[in-house]
Amino acid sequence: PGTDLKVTGIDFLKSQNTRQHHTDAYNIKNLVVRRGQAFQLQLSFSRELKAADKLALRFGIGEKPMKIRGTLLSLNPRREPDYSGWQISIVKSSGKECLLSVTSSPSAPVGKYILNVKTGTNIYKPEHDAVYLLFNPWCESDVVFLADEAQRKEYVLNDTGYIYVGSAYSIYGRPWNFGQFEEFVLDACMYLLDKSNLRLSSRRDPVFVSRAMSALVNANDDSGVLLGNWSGNYDRGTSPLDWIGSVSILQQYYKTKKSVCYGQCWVFAGVLTTVMRCLGIPSRCVSNFNSAHDTEENLRVDIYLNEFGEKLNRMSLDSVWNFHVWNDVWMKRTDLPSGFDGWQAIDSTPQEQSQGIFQCGPCPLKAIRDGDVYLPFDSKFVYAEVNADKVYWVVKKVNGKDKYIKISTETQGIGVNISTKAVGQDKREDITSQYKFPEGSEEERKAMQKASSFIRPSGIGIRARFASTAHVNDMDSKPGVLRETVSKTGLQLEITNTDVLYPGNPLELAITVKTSTPGNWTINLAGSCQLQSYTGKVEASLGYVKETVKLEGKSEIKVPLKIAADSYMKTLASVEDEVLIHITAIAEVQGTDDKLTKETTMRFEYPPITVQMPEMAKLNEEFACAFIFKNKLNVPLDNCKLLVEGLGIFKMASFDQGDVKPGRIIKSEIVCTPTRVGEKKIVAKLTSAQVKAISTEKAITITE
């Protein structure tokens, strides 16, 4: 027995394996590899390896790995290949050393495998014995294979990016640190995989994994990562606007195993992107502007206005969000008929339950575009988010009762400028055409008709707030038939701002009314200005204009709408969300059926943050980075906080700046030491009571 073969050591050859597997950026002591691709291990023995020696590498996954369940793989380099699709071979054996090559199956369950080596009756357990196995977009036989290298760099390896927010005609990119390679992030993802209770066989499949993660990134049902909060009161946690990346959220969740407070849609989408990229599933953040939340699945969102054109919150369960952010993930759909591979929408913002849980997707973009809304998962809901019609009603009191008068139906306002970060560039890419055919094209009409045949026509929705008897004068029950009525007068409305919208300045707005056909027209115009949150919730009504204007033939008139600063500054300071300026106009031409509604959303403009630092720096050598902000507004900014983070350079830091009076300059400095090479981004964000989200970022190249 003294001549028993024993393993005395194992070298995971981490630097060469991780370079080949594109996993060298993970900040973890263990070996991280991708499935379906070879990696090498070097074994050291107590004596030379002989032909008669028994040798097996054992990879176990889950609680109690067992061969019979397929959760324990025993790989013997001398035996026939394993039926499991894993392969092992001896590359070279010399003296007491042996170099092995292991290739996992391209459809192996993803997760943490515990490795030990069996020689005869001896079992050797190495230090850092967990090997992390991820999805592999570089491997042609993996269902997440992505052919284009630039896309793999963007959608799998890029740890920074932008999430597009604002409003449809005033879009801006919010920098976001995904940070999928940071400390504990991979472990947090592995913890979520365990928590998902997915069967191990389901962990092979990105369809099940991405669906489970869309459920686990929100706290609903399963005490997942983030608790959503749209109340405007965030005292008990972090305001959704104060995050600049996913790292501190996932680290806190992993440490405490408790849901982190608070998230809104872009935070959920940012964290879900991190989780997907971390596990190796190509992913991107998608922003849908004028996103319909259609609770009744009737492809219709009803919007109720009073006679001044002010939107009424209380009436409708449906809503139109200025923007909503979700994710696309890339995979082959082997569970569906052919033709639905590629991008799939998933959403972790808790909006509606799916199969009894707040989860959404994956739903093929092609199914949404073609109107194949019978396909799993949640295609009807996503279809409505980008395609619903908006129906405007004016609510008037007649003999003490509310009377609903339908003004107009807008078929093209929902689901516009769908945006994501461009591949390899800091630019916005418009991907609307991947979600829908051009408005008014024949393909679009066909898709709409197909979708409408699967979505029940509007009648009494189960969740309608009041019985449908209110809608007496509404005969259009079938979506797809709603088309604009032909206008007698060629009535048009335009809403503009005549001056830059700085907080603290009066809001100078104007509504232009146009007619284009011969005749004398008298037009009743009502226009209102409200502050609203991005979910479309009205926070304050600021003022309105009600006028009767006369136009002749082809002509136009500009009606000003001016809001004084002190009428909205209090609301800005009292609401913890970033608010947008929402203007609605209603025009009715006397003596005709011509009625028109137009709404638009604008955002405030802010002074910039400047970042001062070198363009290049050396690994492990410190450099200084300064953040400068001048308050150019004519109002003080109370309770200012500066948040900064640079992945691979310094952890998230926050500076309290107190109240910053008009004209005052603040400067914060951080001395940092880079720990990773390559192009890195530093992100800074300023928040205050009045102004919620001024952010900026700057790149620096770190060299050896």
Side-chain angles (χ1 to χ4, degrees):
T3 59
D4 264 12
L5 180 70
K6 286 198 173 80
V7 177
T8 57
I10 183 163
D11 184 347
F12 287 97
L13 304 173
K14 198 171 162 218
S15 66
Q16 78 174 51
N17 283 326
T18 55
R19 261 204 315 279
Q20 287 166 354
H21 284 249
H22 308 95
T23 54
D24 45 337
Y26 286 96
N27 183 0
I28 193 166
K29 294 205 163 66
N30 300 63
L31 179 62
V32 182
V33 289
R34 299 187 188 274
R35 61 186 192 175
Q37 186 176 335
F39 60 94
Q40 296 191 337
L41 300 170
Q42 174 104 20
L43 299 184
S44 312
F45 298 113
S46 54
R47 60 168 172 75
E48 206 168 321
L49 187 63
K50 298 190 181 122
D53 287 323
K54 283 189 172 142
L55 168 67
L57 246 57
R58 308 200 313 169
F59 289 93
I61 186 170
E63 291 278 295
K64 292 201 179 101
M66 282 152 77
K67 279 190 186 172
I68 191 155
R69 284 198 193 142
T71 57
L72 179 65
L73 299 150
S74 186
L75 305 177
N76 186 326
R78 302 240 173 90
R79 270 213 309 265
E80 288 303 294
D82 200 296
Y83 66 91
S84 66
W86 289 55
Q87 288 159 342
I88 184 168
S89 62
I90 296 179
V91 181
K92 69 167 193 274
S93 178
S94 64
K96 297 179 178 179
E97 308 272 279
C98 174
L99 184 63
L100 293 173
S101 170
V102 180
T103 308
S104 61
S105 157
S107 58
V110 161
K112 217 162 137 177
Y113 287 79
I114 302 300
L115 169 70
N116 57 46
V117 187
K118 194 171 179 191
T119 52
T121 54
N122 297 309
I123 291 178
Y124 175 80
K125 296 184 162 115
E127 198 193 356
H128 306 308
D129 57 355
V131 174
Y132 291 72
L133 189 67
L134 308 180
F135 289 100
N136 193 352
W138 283 264
C139 168
E140 284 187 44
S141 22
D142 193 321
V143 283
V144 301
F145 174 66
L146 185 55
D148 182 284
E149 175 61 19
Q151 290 188 349
R152 291 190 295 240
K153 267 201 170 115
E154 184 65 56
Y155 299 134
V156 186
L157 300 179
N158 196 351
D159 57 359
T160 63
Y162 297 94
I163 298 178
Y164 290 94
V165 296
S167 68
Y169 304 105
S170 172
I171 299 175
Y172 67 104
R174 208 172 259 166
W176 192 266
N177 285 336
F178 299 114
Q180 64 269 35
F181 304 118
E182 301 304 301
E183 203 177 11
F184 303 123
V185 170
L186 180 55
D187 282 317
C189 293
M190 292 298 155
Y191 171 71
L192 288 173
L193 271 179
D194 288 341
K195 207 170 150 49
S196 72
N197 292 326
L198 281 175
R199 292 213 303 277
L200 272 165
S201 58
S202 303
R203 282 199 191 192
R204 307 168 185 277
D205 190 341
V207 172
F208 292 119
V209 171
S210 60
R211 184 162 176 77
M213 293 301 143
S214 85
L216 277 162
V217 164
N218 65 65
N220 305 46
D221 316 308
D222 45 30
S223 60
V225 180
L226 264 170
L227 187 61
N229 182 346
W230 285 265
S231 70
N233 177 0
Y234 310 115
D235 293 349
R236 300 192 137 166
T238 301
S239 154
L241 280 153
D242 285 2
W243 302 113
I244 45 185
S246 316
V247 182
S248 43
I249 296 170
L250 285 162
Q251 286 175 341
Q252 183 185 328
Y253 179 70
Y254 182 61
K255 200 166 104 187
T256 63
K257 308 291 191 282
K258 286 188 173 66
S259 304
V260 176
C261 303
Y262 293 106
Q264 287 177 7
C265 71
W266 67 91
V267 192
F268 288 109
V271 171
L272 190 53
T273 298
T274 303
V275 171
M276 291 292 101
R277 288 183 185 178
C278 188
L279 292 172
I281 300 174
S283 173
R284 62 187 184 186
C285 287
V286 174
S287 301
N288 178 37
F289 289 91
N290 296 347
S291 188
H293 180 173
D294 170 19
T295 52
E296 293 170 19
E297 275 196 5
N298 58 8
L299 274 195
R300 205 180 97 161
V301 174
D302 294 309
I303 292 168
Y304 299 95
L305 308 169
N306 65 16
E307 47 201 295
F308 306 119
E310 292 174 338
K311 228 162 54 165
L312 305 170
N313 266 348
R314 63 191 166 87
M315 306 296 298
S316 175
L317 275 179
D318 287 350
S319 54
V320 176
W321 294 24
N322 281 296
F323 63 87
H324 178 41
V325 192
W326 61 74
N327 300 82
D328 284 344
V329 280
W330 179 270
M331 63 187 69
K332 286 193 182 68
R333 287 298 294 267
T334 49
D335 56 326
L336 298 184
S338 69
F340 293 101
D341 297 341
W343 289 116
Q344 318 282 323
I346 58 174
D347 191 345
S348 54
T349 299
Q351 293 190 94
E352 297 288 310
Q353 290 186 338
S354 167
Q355 297 179 319
I357 294 176
F358 282 100
Q359 58 187 353
C360 179
C363 163
L365 265 54
K366 190 181 184 306
I368 300 165
R369 197 171 75 162
D370 295 350
D372 290 312
V373 295
Y374 54 90
L375 287 168
F377 291 92
D378 309 305
S379 51
K380 288 185 176 128
F381 185 73
V382 182
Y383 185 85
E385 288 183 300
V386 298
N387 283 305
D389 287 340
K390 280 201 282 195
V391 183
Y392 291 96
W393 304 81
V394 166
V395 185
K396 289 185 174 163
K397 280 260 187 278
V398 179
N399 307 329
K401 281 209 176 102
D402 282 349
K403 184 174 183 227
Y404 301 87
I405 299 145
K406 185 167 159 188
I407 317 182
S408 64
T409 299
E410 193 187 324
T411 58
Q412 301 189 358
I414 296 283
V416 298
N417 301 344
I418 304 175
S419 304
T420 190
K421 178 188 172 303
V423 173
Q425 302 175 64
D426 291 341
K427 283 208 325 232
R428 184 177 74 86
E429 182 189 352
D430 191 299
I431 54 169
T432 311
S433 62
Q434 297 178 32
Y435 273 87
K436 48 210 287 199
F437 289 110
E439 288 287 356
S441 66
E442 193 169 327
E443 298 99 337
E444 185 239 5
R445 268 222 323 285
K446 277 195 184 129
M448 193 77 183
Q449 274 157 357
K450 191 197 281 187
S452 302
S453 69
F454 297 107
I455 294 178
R456 52 194 181 77
S458 53
I460 302 176
I462 22 176
R463 282 172 283 201
R465 281 262 170 107
F466 42 87
S468 62
T469 49
H471 303 308
V472 192
N473 51 1
D474 169 24
M475 297 319 290
D476 309 308
S477 64
K478 254 206 167 64
V481 209
L482 291 171
R483 281 293 166 253
E484 308 292 318
T485 43
V486 181
S487 160
K488 255 188 210 160
T489 56
L491 180 65
Q492 273 183 302
L493 291 172
E494 261 175 30
I495 302 169
T496 48
N497 50 318
T498 48
D499 207 358
V500 183
L501 303 168
Y502 284 123
N505 288 10
L507 307 180
E508 309 265 0
L509 307 162
I511 300 164
T512 308
V513 188
K514 299 180 180 181
T515 51
S516 61
T517 58
N520 285 320
W521 310 113
T522 305
I523 298 150
N524 301 337
L525 175 74
S528 78
C529 180
Q530 293 174 304
L531 288 184
Q532 65 172 33
S533 68
Y534 86 98
T535 60
K537 184 176 140 221
V538 176
E539 300 289 356
S541 290
L542 302 184
Y544 61 86
V545 52
K546 225 180 159 177
E547 281 191 25
T548 304
V549 298
K550 289 186 162 49
L551 287 174
E552 194 178 331
K554 187 175 174 7
S555 58
E556 60 176 68
I557 187 165
K558 207 176 211 168
V559 179
L561 173 57
K562 186 174 174 172
I563 310 287
D566 50 9
S567 67
Y568 70 83
M569 282 310 291
K570 275 197 188 63
T571 309
L572 270 198
S574 67
V575 178
E576 290 190 44
D577 292 306
E578 185 175 23
V579 287
L580 296 137
I581 303 156
H582 188 80
I583 304 104
T584 312
I586 311 177
E588 303 184 49
V589 184
Q590 292 180 11
T592 71
D593 277 341
D594 274 9
K595 295 188 180 79
L596 191 59
T597 324
K598 176 97 186 195
E599 48 177 352
T600 193
T601 309
M602 301 172 178
R603 64 183 192 94
F604 287 104
E605 300 277 329
Y606 309 117
I609 302 172
T610 332
V611 184
Q612 284 180 348
M613 64 177 186
E615 282 175 20
M616 315 268 296
K618 279 200 155 51
L619 190 65
N620 300 323
E621 287 184 19
E622 53 180 51
F623 67 90
C625 181
F627 304 91
I628 298 154
F629 173 78
K630 179 177 183 182
N631 182 7
K632 295 179 180 165
L633 305 174
N634 59 27
V635 285
L637 298 178
D638 301 326
N639 191 8
C640 276
K641 236 186 7 212
L642 181 73
L643 306 153
V644 293
E645 183 178 50
L647 301 183
I649 298 174
F650 57 87
K651 286 201 164 66
M652 172 113 156
S654 141
F655 300 92
D656 284 324
Q657 300 286 1
D659 302 344
V660 179
K661 301 270 178 289
R664 194 182 135 205
I665 296 173
I666 53 175
K667 181 175 179 178
S668 302
E669 197 170 84
I670 195 161
V671 172
C672 34
T673 311
T675 54
R676 292 209 292 271
V677 296
E679 193 191 71
K680 301 287 163 218
K681 283 205 179 116
I682 287 179
V683 175
K685 180 176 228 169
L686 186 88
T687 64
S688 70
Q690 290 78 3
V691 169
K692 303 301 184 288
I694 304 178
S695 49
T696 189
E697 36 126 64
K698 198 161 178 170
I700 181 166
T701 307
I702 311 297
T703 56
E704 296 270 358

